[in-house]
Amino acid sequence: MVFLDIDGTLLHEGQPVSEKTAKALSQAKDNGHFLCICTGRAYSETPDEMKKFDGVISAAGACVMWKKEVLLAEYFSDEEKKLVADLLEAAGAVYIMEGFSDLYMDQEIRERFFKQMEGFEEREKFLLSFFIKTLPCTSTQEMKKVHKCSFFYAEKDNEWLKEKLRQWDMSVTTFSQADTRGNSGEITKTAFTKGTALKYLSGYLGIPTEDTIAIGDSENDLEMLRAAGVGIAMGNASDYVKQAADDVTKSVTEDGVYHAFRKYGLIG
């Protein structure tokens, strides 16, 4: 069973999966291997073609699905939503609450955010463009089934946020796409990671963890790489991610997933 991150692993800056990697995925499935997406994105922002994989782990481990059935879903309480919103407003950050079905942004923050985007470089606009469809909300109570929160342009560093959130059993991880100005990242519940989701799903299916492979590139992939039988870092991963992995493949632009599949015998 193979667990695959999306951004920086299967996709590069929103470009489609390369032809070589797409063929490798298809061949591995034909050879009887299970493929599972394991992404930091909420299910609401996971590409439709990737929702067709055998399994989909979204929101950095807060939601686990198998054959389109939800097996596990953990959401922020109203108290946790308010805590996170208050902290990020104190940090001067732009933030998006991410739910199973929708994305949410406070109306005032939304207007300020898109006004800021007018002066961004085209590449940065592209990286943030999927938030254009974000639904505005005026209060945290209106936000339904929120798994996690993404933030950008914080005036406080991520260590400040980590210290504030630790007592609430919540954590902060930094985005692998660090092009955005200021500090950015995602806030999740500490108890739910890509690693706990990998163990949960493999246990549910009766697949020993030693028969699993995980491939990723960023901080929120660390627990997944450590939990898998073989954890593989992409060539474009941060150095500390590579150090935590069992192996390193080529970068996403060099079809790293294809080369990993070849090396570990998933395809011929």
Side-chain angles (χ1 to χ4, degrees), residues 62-242:
C63 184
V64 180
M65 301 177 69
W66 182 252
K67 304 295 185 182
K68 297 187 177 181
E69 177 187 356
V70 177
L71 304 179
L72 172 71
E74 180 66 24
Y75 304 105
F76 284 5
S77 66
D78 286 342
E79 184 180 22
E80 288 167 334
K81 284 185 288 186
K82 187 176 187 309
L83 168 75
V84 170
D86 288 348
L87 269 179
L88 291 174
E89 285 170 14
V94 169
Y95 62 92
I96 298 98
M97 295 287 185
E98 300 174 51
F100 183 84
S101 302
D102 293 302
L103 304 175
Y104 303 97
M105 183 184 283
D106 179 85
Q107 181 68 39
E108 182 180 346
I109 292 175
R110 177 185 171 87
E111 291 173 359
R112 174 163 54 88
F113 179 54
F114 288 109
K115 187 173 182 180
Q116 284 180 311
M117 278 188 70
E118 293 174 7
F120 291 177
E121 298 291 335
E122 288 303 316
R123 181 171 180 275
E124 193 173 5
K125 285 183 181 179
F126 177 78
L127 289 172
L128 298 171
S129 62
F130 60 90
F131 289 129
I132 291 175
K133 296 181 180 178
T134 301
L135 301 180
C137 278
T138 56
S139 69
T140 55
Q141 284 72 29
E142 294 180 54
M143 303 175 186
K144 308 298 183 184
K145 294 186 175 181
V146 169
H147 292 297
K148 53 170 282 205
C149 179
S150 292
F151 64 92
F152 307 88
Y153 319 122
E155 295 168 7
K156 303 282 190 180
D157 64 30
N158 287 0
E159 292 304 316
W160 181 86
L161 284 168
K162 286 180 181 180
E163 184 61 33
K164 295 290 185 182
L165 288 165
R166 188 172 289 119
Q167 61 183 311
W168 291 85
D169 293 324
M170 303 181 87
S171 58
V172 178
T173 54
T174 303
F175 288 139
S176 57
Q177 297 86 358
D179 309 54
T180 52
R181 301 171 202 146
N183 296 291
S184 63
E186 59 188 14
I187 296 173
T188 57
K189 292 192 175 187
T190 304
F192 298 89
T193 68
K194 290 186 179 184
T196 62
L198 181 153
K199 292 177 182 177
Y200 176 88
L201 184 56
S202 58
Y204 173 83
L205 297 170
I207 297 174
T209 53
E210 56 263 33
D211 290 336
T212 64
I213 293 174
I215 308 178
D217 74 303
S218 61
E219 185 179 358
N220 71 7
D221 294 316
L222 285 171
E223 297 303 320
M224 175 181 76
L225 298 180
R226 291 168 177 153
V230 178
I232 304 172
M234 297 294 290
N236 48 281
S238 302
D239 288 342
Y240 64 88
V241 176
K242 293 177 181 177

